[in-house]
Amino acid sequence: MARLGNCSLTWAALIILLLPGSLEECGHISVSAPIVHLGDPITASCIIKQNCSHLDPEPQILWRLGAELQPGGRQQRLSDGTQESIITLPHLNHTQAFLSCCLNWGNSLQILDQVELRAGYPPAIPHNLSCLMNLTTSSLICQWEPGPETHLPTSFTLKSFNRGNCQTQGDSILDCVPKDGQSHCCIPRKHLLLYQNMGIWVQAENALGTSMSPQLCLDPMDVVKLEPPMLRTMDPSPEAAPPQAGCLQLCWEPWQPGLHINQKCELRHKPQRGEASWALVGPLPLEALQYELCGLLPATAYTLQIRCIRWPLPGHWSDWSPSLELRTTERAPTVRLDTWWRQRQLDPRTVQLFWKPVPLEEDSGRIQGYVVSWRPSGQAGAILPLCNTTELSCTFHLPSEAQEVALVAYNSAGTSRPTPVVFSESRGPALTRLHAMARDPHSLWVGWEPPNPWPQGYVIEWGLGPPSASNSNKTWRMEQNGRATGFLLKENIRPFQLYEIIVTPLYQDTMGPSQHVYAYSQEMAPSHAPELHLKHIGKTWAQLEWVPEPPELGKSPLTHYTIFWTNAQNQSFSAILNASSRGFVLHGLEPASLYHIHLMAASQAGATNSTVLTLMTLTPEGSELHIILGLFGLLLLLTCLCGTAWLCCSPNRKNPLWPSVPDPAHSSLGSWVPTIMEEDAFQLPGLGTPPITKLTVLEEDEKKPVPWESHNSSETCGLPTLVQTYVLQGDPRAVSTQPQSQSGTSDQVLYGQLLGSPTSPGPGHYLRCDSTQPLLAGLTPSPKSYENLWFQASPLGTLVTPAPSQEDDCVFGPLLNFPLLQGIRVHGMEALGSF
């Protein structure tokens, strides 16, 4: 806690350490104004003296407003060596705050000096000044409204003076200063001059300004406020008549200090029951101190209050007096009793009488009970009671000579007018076309066609029908309009109940026969749905049937059925059926599967579900499974046979599986070479029809021998440069320049090559192919009598290739000894005579 001047500041956010005592006078703050308008700017300066030896030569001055550091301080050294910092706060938005001048001393913030700043508003003009003359305290009490909050200490002073008129100021009266926070003040009687005008006003003052209310010019006696009189009940007197029904007798005692003042009073009252408002009665007579208040509800408790005012001179109403509670007297019931009766079938002399009181006035009086009586003939003045009850019905035995009875309602003040009840037979015409229907869940409309002649009225009875029928629980009412053709029943109607409605026409001195009808206040949904039964079932279908429920009273007719079924995978299916449906067949079921089925019966009032039927479809039998498997196998076999036949019969699909190899012993070129159109054949130069076999025609180069190799005929034996090859079972127009593969799956089977030269006089030579494709079914690649020298066996059983001759590069024997070439005929090549 740091105390500077008359102000103290408690810092909660940080610890403030004061400088040593020798430095407390080092700094001083000066402000432009300690109190300003809220939101106005304020300027402050802090000067640090030169003789503060503990400070740095150039100390940094900081500013703090409340708990927040304020930037913007401008620091400078003055000519006398002191340090000065000036800061301007553009808007002072705090109603009260401390502005501090600080230095950093060590690790803490030290306060050199601080001032308290206040901000607020000047006082508003006080308004609503009013004064009352209290005769009890003999003082003038004035009050006012101070206006909005100023946030600054504001003082109010009630000023007044006596004057002969309201234009010139007279002698001043001692100022009245209220206590803090109060907005009223009292001027004692000794400062007042009664029956003379005086001026009164209120002055408000704070640091930012002063304001005054408008002056009030008044005579203290013109603003007198009396105290209210005391209400009390009149003492009972034997000579006084008792109060009438609905009336109260009361009196009051006036306020003693105001006995010499003429005044008038007024009374207010309200019943205690309910939330009734006050009713005002006045002005009361001046001379009388008692009053009889009438027009009230009988047998009702009331609360009463009274107040008075100076009259005819000006004044103020007194406060309301303390409450007085009184109860009005009762009056005899003023009601009309509507009656209705019924005789028991087993005992016609036992009568059940019903009645309902109908008030004839707004205040009909309280009813304590009812009396049923009859007057015997020959006994003057004798009245025999048959029933005395507080209920609205009574059952009694009617004497044999009695044809009518009298019904009255009574209370402590008397009885109502007797209502005669005549027991007559039903001799009038009956109603026709009686009908009823529900308007909503809590009402029923009953209608009829009136008979001829028109009745005087109707009695309508209704109650629960069978099996809950009871005569004691029936509700009834009387319709006085004889020309009515219907009535809306709203009393004691519950939803979803069956009601029996009875209507009886009333005529002069008789009545017509009763007619009844049954109706539901609201129809309900079906109580339960039909039970499902399984009639037939298969592997993929199930036939269901059900027996519809018989119609029920109070149940809305069915509009449709909905059948639901769910499989083991929790997949649901449904179908909507007509209300006349009696069965349904489920199709598309899975064999050997479990299904849950239920039926929903729906009407306009709702829907109800049946119990769940669980079934499992049949499993396919063994013989059927065998038939299916057999048919599948037969289909698979037919598919295989058709595929095989297609592969065998189709030339394009036959060779890829196995090549067509000719039989040398039983073949000719015309029988196994595919037919080629003449225009598509490849023509050799100088030849006619091309050879069919694979034929190689070489022109021998005598000067350049070429070694022979069996795997590459283009690089062996010094073959001629022109080589043309035709391939069996291939495109005859395709020219092959490479020897064929030895694979047995190739389309091209190289069987042999013909070697010769058109210029050589010697015989031609042939070259046996080294293909491993068998020519015949024998064990050797070709018959022994035509073995190529290439396949001559050595004595050790190994194949030995003979060495070529010096004279000829390749000598393999006569060309025509090869059996494949025996059928070849070459036309147009006369130069190949030896060939």
Side-chain angles (χ1 to χ4, degrees):
M1 179 83 63
R3 182 174 300 273
L4 299 175
N6 295 326
C7 301
S8 62
L9 173 64
T10 301
W11 300 95
L14 61 102
I15 300 176
I16 300 175
L17 300 178
L18 294 179
L19 292 173
S22 60
L23 297 180
E24 292 182 358
E25 303 297 332
C26 285
H28 176 70
I29 296 179
S30 300
V31 295
S32 57
I35 301 176
V36 296
H37 282 74
L38 190 63
D40 284 357
I42 188 172
T43 302
S45 65
C46 179
I47 298 177
I48 300 178
K49 298 179 181 179
Q50 187 179 7
N51 57 359
C52 293
S53 59
H54 292 78
L55 301 179
D56 296 335
E58 296 292 335
Q60 183 181 3
I61 302 175
L62 302 177
W63 292 93
R64 181 183 292 275
L65 181 63
E68 298 179 358
L69 288 174
Q70 300 293 323
R74 302 183 302 276
Q75 186 171 340
Q76 61 181 348
R77 177 179 289 275
L78 302 180
S79 58
D80 57 356
T82 59
Q83 293 285 338
E84 182 185 30
S85 178
I86 301 175
I87 188 171
T88 299
L89 303 177
H91 303 285
L92 183 59
N93 295 323
H94 301 275
T95 59
Q96 181 181 11
F98 285 92
L99 181 63
S100 304
C101 174
C102 308
L103 288 177
N104 282 322
W105 184 269
N107 296 327
S108 61
L109 190 65
Q110 306 299 328
I111 297 178
L112 298 179
D113 194 11
Q114 66 179 4
V115 293
E116 182 184 12
L117 302 180
R118 300 291 299 267
Y121 302 102
I125 298 175
H127 57 284
N128 290 342
L129 175 63
S130 62
C131 298
L132 297 174
M133 184 63 188
N134 190 332
L135 297 181
T136 303
T137 60
S138 298
S139 61
L140 184 66
I141 303 174
C142 297
Q143 60 182 8
W144 61 90
E145 294 183 12
E149 177 64 36
T150 62
H151 305 290
L152 295 175
T154 304
S155 62
F156 294 89
T157 304
L158 181 65
K159 294 180 174 294
S160 60
F161 59 86
N162 294 322
R163 58 187 176 183
N165 52 56
C166 293
Q167 302 298 327
T168 60
Q169 182 173 349
D171 299 333
S172 297
I173 301 175
L174 185 65
D175 292 342
C176 180
V177 180
K179 296 180 180 181
D180 292 341
Q182 294 182 353
S183 58
H184 60 85
C185 197
C186 298
I187 301 176
R189 170 69 179 82
K190 61 183 179 180
H191 300 302
L192 299 176
L193 293 179
L194 300 181
Y195 304 104
Q196 291 186 7
N197 290 334
M198 61 182 300
I200 302 173
W201 73 94
V202 179
Q203 177 178 300
E205 184 179 2
N206 64 13
L208 296 180
T210 303
S211 63
M212 291 186 298
S213 69
Q215 290 187 2
L216 185 65
C217 183
L218 55 85
D219 180 357
M221 291 304 295
D222 291 343
V223 291
V224 169
K225 181 179 180 180
L226 303 175
E227 293 295 329
M230 296 297 295
L231 277 175
R232 60 183 178 86
T233 307
M234 290 184 59
D235 297 330
S237 174
E239 295 82 9
Q244 298 179 3
C247 293
L248 289 175
Q249 293 180 349
L250 64 153
C251 62
W252 60 89
E253 182 180 350
W255 180 52
Q256 294 299 325
L259 290 176
H260 64 282
I261 301 176
N262 294 330
Q263 52 187 299
K264 68 177 180 180
C265 302
E266 63 183 12
L267 185 73
R268 69 176 184 178
H269 62 85
K270 69 175 181 178
Q272 292 183 359
R273 63 186 180 185
E275 297 181 356
S277 59
W278 291 98
L280 193 63
V281 178
L284 302 179
L286 297 178
E287 299 81 6
L289 298 180
Q290 61 182 13
Y291 185 73
E292 184 177 20
L293 181 63
C294 294
L296 305 179
L297 298 176
T300 304
Y302 279 86
T303 300
L304 301 98
Q305 291 179 333
I306 192 174
R307 68 176 180 175
C308 298
I309 190 176
R310 184 189 182 208
W311 189 85
L313 299 177
H316 289 277
W317 281 103
S318 68
D319 295 330
W320 288 103
S321 67
S323 299
L324 175 67
E325 295 182 359
L326 295 177
R327 187 179 185 86
T328 58
T329 58
E330 288 187 327
R331 61 182 299 184
T334 54
V335 294
R336 183 188 80 233
L337 297 175
D338 292 338
T339 59
W340 176 242
W341 57 273
R342 284 194 175 278
Q343 294 176 325
R344 290 185 177 177
Q345 296 180 356
L346 300 179
D347 186 5
R349 302 308 297 177
T350 300
V351 179
Q352 187 175 15
L353 182 64
F354 306 93
W355 59 86
K356 280 187 177 182
V358 180
L360 299 178
E361 301 176 4
E362 183 180 358
D363 176 22
S364 60
R366 184 172 61 96
I367 298 176
Q368 291 181 333
Y370 303 91
V371 174
V372 180
S373 60
W374 73 289
R375 186 187 301 272
S377 60
Q379 299 181 12
I383 298 178
L384 302 180
L386 297 177
C387 183
N388 188 349
T389 180
T390 59
E391 304 294 333
L392 296 178
S393 64
C394 181
T395 302
F396 55 89
H397 182 75
L398 184 67
S400 57
E401 63 274 15
Q403 297 298 324
E404 67 176 52
V405 296
L407 175 66
V408 295
Y410 67 88
N411 59 18
S412 60
T415 62
S416 65
R417 295 181 59 181
T419 300
V421 181
V422 180
F423 302 100
S424 59
E425 297 180 358
S426 300
R427 297 189 301 270
L431 297 174
T432 58
R433 301 181 63 86
L434 181 66
H435 59 279
M437 62 180 296
R439 286 289 180 89
D440 55 63
H442 298 279
S443 65
L444 284 170
W445 170 261
V446 55
W448 58 82
E449 289 186 2
N452 192 12
W454 293 90
Q456 293 183 345
Y458 302 92
V459 174
I460 307 170
E461 302 174 81
W462 67 93
L464 293 176
S468 303
S470 175
N471 291 331
S472 60
N473 294 329
K474 286 186 178 297
T475 305
W476 69 280
R477 67 160 295 143
M478 182 175 290
E479 175 59 45
Q480 299 291 339
N481 184 11
R483 294 185 177 272
T485 58
F487 188 78
L488 184 63
L489 308 178
K490 296 182 178 180
E491 186 179 358
N492 296 333
I493 301 295
R494 294 178 298 171
F496 309 113
Q497 299 292 332
L498 177 65
Y499 286 91
E500 180 185 14
I501 305 172
I502 304 173
V503 181
T504 305
L506 302 178
Y507 300 93
Q508 182 69 30
D509 299 331
T510 186
M511 61 181 182
S514 301
Q515 303 291 331
H516 71 276
V517 67
Y518 293 93
Y520 272 91
S521 56
Q522 185 177 4
E523 293 181 334
M524 295 185 294
S527 56
H528 52 273
E531 185 178 358
L532 286 173
H533 299 281
L534 179 62
K535 187 174 183 181
H536 299 291
I537 191 170
K539 292 179 289 298
T540 60
W541 59 273
Q543 184 178 3
L544 306 174
E545 64 179 2
W546 59 86
V547 178
E549 297 293 332
E552 300 179 71
L553 289 176
K555 303 296 189 297
S556 179
L558 295 181
T559 57
H560 64 276
Y561 291 108
T562 304
I563 188 169
F564 301 87
W565 65 96
T566 306
N567 57 16
Q569 289 76 29
N570 204 24
Q571 295 177 338
S572 298
F573 309 91
S574 63
I576 299 177
L577 311 175
N578 294 329
S580 59
S581 301
R582 301 295 183 268
F584 186 71
V585 178
L586 304 179
H587 292 285
L589 306 181
E590 296 292 336
S593 299
L594 191 68
Y595 287 88
H596 302 281
I597 310 168
H598 73 274
L599 185 69
M600 182 180 72
S603 67
Q604 293 183 351
T608 306
N609 292 330
S610 68
T611 57
V612 178
L613 174 65
T614 302
L615 56 85
M616 177 175 284
T617 54
L618 300 180
T619 304
E621 298 179 359
S623 58
E624 297 178 351
L625 184 60
H626 294 161
I627 293 175
I628 294 174
L629 293 178
L631 292 176
F632 179 74
L634 181 59
L635 180 62
L636 183 60
L637 179 60
L638 291 176
T639 303
C640 295
L641 292 177
C642 293
T644 303
W646 178 70
L647 290 175
C648 294
C649 297
S650 176
N652 295 333
R653 301 296 176 182
K654 179 178 179 182
N655 289 331
L657 298 179
W658 56 84
S660 180
V661 179
D663 186 1
H666 302 84
S667 64
S668 65
L669 293 178
S671 63
W672 62 275
V673 174
T675 304
I676 299 174
M677 300 298 295
E678 182 177 357
E679 60 272 15
D680 295 335
F682 187 86
Q683 299 295 330
L684 288 174
L687 296 178
T689 302
I692 303 305
T693 61
K694 180 170 179 162
L695 182 64
T696 300
V697 180
L698 305 176
E699 292 186 2
E700 184 179 3
D701 190 357
E702 299 179 354
K703 298 180 179 181
K704 187 175 181 181
V706 178
W708 173 264
E709 289 183 6
S710 63
H711 296 284
N712 194 343
S713 61
S714 65
E715 299 177 359
T716 58
C717 302
L719 297 178
T721 59
L722 179 61
V723 178
Q724 294 180 343
T725 304
Y726 291 84
V727 183
L728 180 65
Q729 293 184 354
D731 190 352
R733 295 166 291 183
V735 179
S736 176
T737 60
Q738 298 291 337
Q740 301 301 313
S741 172
Q742 296 180 5
S743 174
T745 61
S746 175
D747 291 343
Q748 301 174 359
V749 180
L750 185 60
Y751 187 75
Q753 290 182 344
L754 295 181
L755 306 178
S757 175
T759 60
S760 176
H765 304 280
Y766 69 90
L767 178 64
R768 175 68 181 272
C769 179
D770 58 352
S771 173
T772 58
Q773 179 69 33
L775 298 177
L776 298 176
L779 297 178
T780 60
S782 60
K784 288 184 178 182
S785 58
Y786 303 104
E787 279 188 274
N788 196 327
L789 295 178
W790 200 278
F791 299 97
Q792 291 293 336
S794 65
L796 297 178
T798 61
L799 296 177
V800 177
T801 303
S805 172
Q806 301 263 336
E807 301 173 356
D808 238 17
D809 291 335
C810 296
V811 181
F812 296 92
L815 180 63
L816 296 179
N817 290 337
F818 198 86
L820 181 60
L821 304 178
Q822 291 180 359
I824 294 178
R825 291 186 303 171
V826 179
H827 300 277
M829 296 298 292
E830 292 78 3
L832 299 175
S834 62
F835 182 81

